[in-house]
Amino acid sequence: MNYLAHLFLARKTPDSHFGNLLGDFRRGVDVSVYSNTVLLGLENHYAVDKFTDAHESVVTAKQFFHTSRRRFAPVALDIYFDHLLILHWRTFSHIPFEQFCASSFNLLELGLPKMPRTMQHSIGHMITHNWFEDYAKEEGIAKAISVVAKRIRFSNEFHKTVDDIEKYKHAIEKQFLSFFPELITFVSQHGPESTLK
């Protein structure tokens, strides 16, 4: 899952928000210096990713991508699922989306001093430019995918996953709506943070 979904599935604390995004910035970081609550958030990130990758609906959604681009399907779906979460926000949350974003950004700002430098830079940029506002629009998803494509160090067609999404967006949406409620239940009942009060 991408940033928004990980924050949606995190607890409403600075340590949980930090830990639940730390999984994307883990390389080269000595996590032993962090508190147990941050580490539980990190474990929650991994549990969410593992559940997502193995879920039948997500496996099905990956098949909608052209065979030459299927290796990039998990990343493209992560980004597009954030868009779908916003699109169906009222189905999954009673908190207005703008209020959720403001609260999450505030919690992340509180955790910024503890974050690894690369994470500070990315999360600071996300807050300043409100990436989630872009994720709400399909053109914003295309922009996010284009940015990721440019970061890949070898020649690729990742940017063309936008065409796959456009062609099969209704089928992908159907798979998302089947999958996401089950992910919420899994995190609530079995996630590493589920034992915290």
Side-chain angles (χ1 to χ4, degrees), residues 3-171:
Y3 294 155
L4 176 61
H6 278 298
L7 292 176
F8 180 84
L9 296 164
R11 298 178 71 246
K12 295 177 178 63
T13 67
D15 278 359
S16 179
H17 270 49
F18 170 21
N20 272 277
L21 293 192
L22 180 59
D24 289 328
F25 303 91
R26 172 69 175 80
R27 183 176 296 178
V29 175
D30 178 12
V31 298
S32 68
V33 302
Y34 296 126
S35 67
N36 185 56
T37 47
V38 170
L39 295 180
L40 282 173
L42 176 60
E43 289 304 314
N44 198 62
H45 177 110
Y46 293 146
V48 166
D49 283 355
K50 184 176 180 181
F51 182 91
T52 299
D53 291 342
H55 196 281
E56 182 180 357
S57 294
V58 178
V59 172
T60 298
K62 292 174 185 176
Q63 304 309 308
F64 296 125
F65 291 80
H66 190 276
T67 52
S68 66
R69 298 184 283 275
R70 200 161 289 163
R71 65 185 294 189
F72 301 115
V75 180
L77 284 175
D78 279 353
I79 295 170
Y80 193 59
F81 279 179
D82 268 5
H83 169 73
L84 292 174
L85 175 55
I86 298 170
L87 189 66
H88 295 280
W89 186 262
R90 291 182 180 179
T91 300
F92 301 114
S93 178
H94 65 278
I95 301 171
F97 179 64
E98 295 75 13
Q99 183 180 331
F100 172 86
C101 290
S103 175
S104 286
F105 288 165
N106 180 59
L107 292 172
L108 287 170
E109 283 184 328
L110 292 172
L112 274 175
K114 300 178 184 177
M115 295 179 188
R117 188 166 297 177
T118 55
M119 186 175 181
Q120 285 180 339
H121 175 77
S122 291
I123 300 306
H125 194 271
M126 179 182 76
I127 294 169
T128 301
H129 298 281
N130 193 355
W131 291 0
F132 299 155
E133 193 172 79
D134 279 343
Y135 287 178
K137 311 164 194 170
E138 291 205 3
E139 58 268 29
I141 295 301
K143 176 183 172 183
I145 286 175
S146 177
V147 168
V148 173
K150 290 175 183 175
R151 290 178 182 162
I152 299 174
R153 296 179 182 176
F154 54 87
S155 179
N156 67 85
E157 293 190 338
F158 180 61
H159 64 285
K160 291 186 179 180
T161 57
V162 173
D163 300 331
D164 300 316
I165 289 171
E166 177 60 30
K167 185 176 181 180
Y168 295 106
K169 63 182 180 181
H170 297 300

